[in-house]
Amino acid sequence: MQEKLDNAIADVSNDIPAYLTKDCGLFTGDSGAALFFAYQFQATNNQVYLDKCFEIIESSFDSVADKYHQGDFSLSNGASGFLWLLHHLIHLGLLTDDNGCSEQLDPHIRQSIDRDFGEKNYDLMYKMIGKGIYFLEKTPDEFSMQAISTIVDRLDSMKKEDPSGVYWDDTLGKNIHTLTEHVQSLGLAHGIPSIIVFLSKVNSRGIARTKTEALVSRAISWLLKRELVDADSCFSNMASTTKPSRLSWCYGDLGVAISLFHAAKTFGNDVWYNHALRIAIKTAHRDFDSAGLHLHNSGYFDPCFCHGSIGIAHMFKRFYEVTNREIFDERHKFWIEKTLDLKKYRMNGIGEYLRFSASKDSSDNFFLEKDNGLLNGTAGIGLGLLSAQVSKPLRWDKSFLTDIER
């Protein structure tokens, strides 16, 4: 498998530069490609890759200004994500400073948190929590600590309660699906597991420890009460349904297990660890046919991080690193092989990889399209393959919240 890995990573590296868009987005723009080249430099010590990383960053500054004028301060697409990248590279020792970007943008990001609160929207990718993840990535300063504390206070005031614990309504999901009733997401991308991870990370920083511990404890209590009985998955996508979830980063059991591993580590809670392990083991027993990946009539399936094979593979790698259970190493290798096997289709993609679009053709097949991004595209695939190539854990996935530790 090593030779196939090496060749696939080389193809990704060779193809990405031709598809840069000069959009600074972390999940959806060029910042994901910059992150890929930063870690490729770390893996190889080849200066060419670091130069590519810096070239991408330099070409993205105009886009940061555009995001500011558009009011997009999100982690996924906006200014917070670009700043997260810069400060992540500082932690890696690849940059010395952010060229004054945070000093200029932080006050505006802080104001946008208040707007998010007005909308009662905590979302990781687009709203309040994502901005908190950026502030957590910075070297601690008074402004960042206060911003993080504010987000905790806002989450505390937004919570709802029932006899089983506390929960938060998914405003984004309600708006996207034009629902009249409040909904609660159980996914890591938009749901309560992301709140559990964020609050656990905040607690680890020594911020609002009493409040964050109480919120995490009661949120986990509520979440575990949503577990399905005698179903293919432990949890559904939404609390309002009993439909089993697929294997993915964005929704489903993998993300719930990730959140419980985070909380168990932060608070030293063996009960939560055992729940995380139990849920993770159940996901490991699901085969390819029951995973729920998007399939094309050609046999090609979705390789992306968000809801495809590389995201599944990477999360199993994380489970193995935390538990040392062979079953997770086996499933990581299985899904990496699946991702590498897609090369046989010789798709006209980026590194021969394509994403599934949101629309379908007249035969009910998803359209396939090129995507350079971290979330749905080749940068995320490349980073997942890089993580499989090396023995030590790589922390590029911190913005996805999958960076669990033993």
Side-chain angles (χ1 to χ4, degrees):
M1 185 171 72
Q2 192 62 46
E3 184 178 355
K4 291 167 68 176
L5 262 177
D6 294 344
N7 291 337
I9 292 168
D11 288 344
V12 168
S13 180
N14 291 334
D15 281 5
I16 279 180
Y19 296 93
L20 297 172
T21 62
K22 297 186 177 181
D23 183 298
C24 71
L26 177 62
F27 287 4
T28 57
D30 290 350
S31 288
L35 189 65
F36 167 74
F37 284 120
Y39 274 94
Q40 196 170 22
F41 167 73
Q42 288 229 309
T44 64
N45 205 32
N46 187 332
Q47 184 66 33
V48 169
Y49 299 127
L50 189 58
D51 291 342
K52 288 181 180 180
C53 170
F54 291 156
E55 288 170 11
I56 293 170
I57 291 171
E58 285 293 328
S59 69
S60 298
F61 278 107
D62 287 344
S63 172
V64 179
D66 292 340
K67 302 290 185 180
Y68 163 76
H69 291 298
Q70 296 163 7
D72 187 350
F73 298 102
S74 68
L75 180 69
S76 175
N77 308 335
S80 289
F82 182 74
L83 289 173
W84 181 94
L85 169 68
L86 297 185
H87 284 271
H88 189 71
L89 297 182
I90 290 170
H91 287 308
L92 293 178
L94 303 181
L95 283 178
T96 56
D97 59 63
D98 69 0
N99 201 29
C101 287
S102 60
E103 183 178 359
Q104 296 178 48
L105 290 170
D106 279 3
H108 300 285
I109 296 172
R110 172 62 186 80
Q111 291 173 7
S112 74
I113 291 170
D114 291 336
R115 292 194 293 273
D116 298 341
F117 176 63
E119 299 170 6
K120 297 293 185 284
N121 197 332
Y122 63 78
D123 193 73
L124 166 69
M125 291 177 60
Y126 305 111
K127 298 293 181 176
M128 190 161 43
I129 288 179
K131 294 157 192 177
I133 293 300
Y134 153 59
F135 282 121
L136 283 169
E137 190 63 20
K138 288 184 65 180
T139 300
D141 58 42
E142 184 176 354
F143 187 92
S144 299
M145 301 279 274
Q146 289 178 349
I148 293 165
S149 294
T150 297
I151 295 173
V152 173
D153 290 340
R154 298 291 191 250
L155 287 171
D156 187 39
S157 65
M158 287 167 57
K159 72 179 185 295
K160 294 187 175 182
E161 302 182 60
D162 68 18
S164 62
V166 301
Y167 62 94
W168 291 261
D169 290 333
D170 176 17
T171 302
L172 180 74
K174 179 182 177 183
N175 292 341
I176 288 175
H177 301 292
T178 60
L179 302 173
T180 57
E181 299 295 325
H182 292 297
V183 295
Q184 298 83 42
S185 170
L186 308 184
L188 192 56
H190 307 293
I192 289 165
S194 68
I195 297 177
I196 291 170
V197 177
F198 173 71
L199 292 173
S200 297
K201 286 176 173 285
V202 170
N203 186 282
S204 295
R205 284 289 185 88
I207 304 170
R209 277 189 162 162
T210 301
K211 185 177 291 185
T212 52
E213 183 171 7
L215 287 171
V216 167
S217 179
R218 299 189 67 201
I220 290 176
S221 175
W222 184 91
L223 180 61
L224 291 174
K225 291 293 185 181
R226 264 69 252 166
E227 188 164 355
L228 303 176
V229 178
D230 295 329
D232 290 338
S233 68
C234 294
F235 294 88
S236 56
N237 290 346
M238 296 288 182
S240 57
T241 177
T242 57
K243 180 181 179 181
S245 57
R246 62 188 176 186
L247 293 183
S248 68
W249 168 76
C250 50
Y251 290 99
D253 293 354
L254 292 169
V256 173
I258 287 284
S259 71
L260 293 173
F261 276 128
H262 269 294
K265 166 72 173 178
T266 298
F267 300 102
N269 190 307
D270 291 340
V271 173
W272 296 345
Y273 176 90
N274 290 332
H275 279 300
L277 180 61
R278 173 179 58 81
I279 295 164
I281 288 173
K282 182 164 182 172
T283 66
H285 286 294
R286 293 178 68 173
D287 60 16
F288 179 83
D289 291 336
S290 68
L293 271 68
H294 292 318
L295 291 171
H296 192 263
N297 61 358
S298 64
Y300 188 84
F301 56 86
D302 202 331
C304 75
F305 187 90
C306 182
H307 44 263
S309 58
I310 200 66
I312 298 170
H314 187 70
M315 294 169 85
F316 280 126
K317 179 178 175 63
R318 284 289 186 229
F319 294 158
Y320 177 62
E321 291 165 353
V322 167
T323 68
N324 207 33
R325 298 281 186 116
E326 290 298 326
I327 189 173
F328 299 131
D329 187 42
E330 292 167 3
R331 298 316 286 169
H332 169 245
K333 291 174 180 175
F334 171 84
W335 286 104
I336 288 293
E337 286 278 10
K338 283 289 186 183
T339 306
L340 292 172
D341 285 348
L342 288 175
K343 302 277 285 180
K344 69 185 179 185
Y345 291 96
R346 300 296 179 191
M347 291 292 188
N348 181 27
I350 305 173
E352 296 184 328
Y353 288 111
L354 293 169
R355 66 165 287 185
F356 281 63
S357 74
S359 54
K360 296 183 178 182
D361 62 21
S362 57
S363 300
D364 201 37
N365 272 304
F366 287 97
F367 288 107
L368 301 177
E369 58 191 18
K370 296 173 183 176
D371 190 312
N372 224 8
L374 190 61
L375 183 69
N376 290 313
T378 304
I381 297 168
L383 281 162
L385 296 176
L386 272 176
S387 284
Q389 188 185 46
V390 301
S391 57
K392 67 178 183 179
L394 303 181
R395 298 298 174 193
W396 57 267
D397 60 339
K398 291 171 71 176
S399 63
F400 284 127
L401 309 185
T402 54
D403 56 320
I404 52 176
E405 297 179 344
R406 184 175 300 181

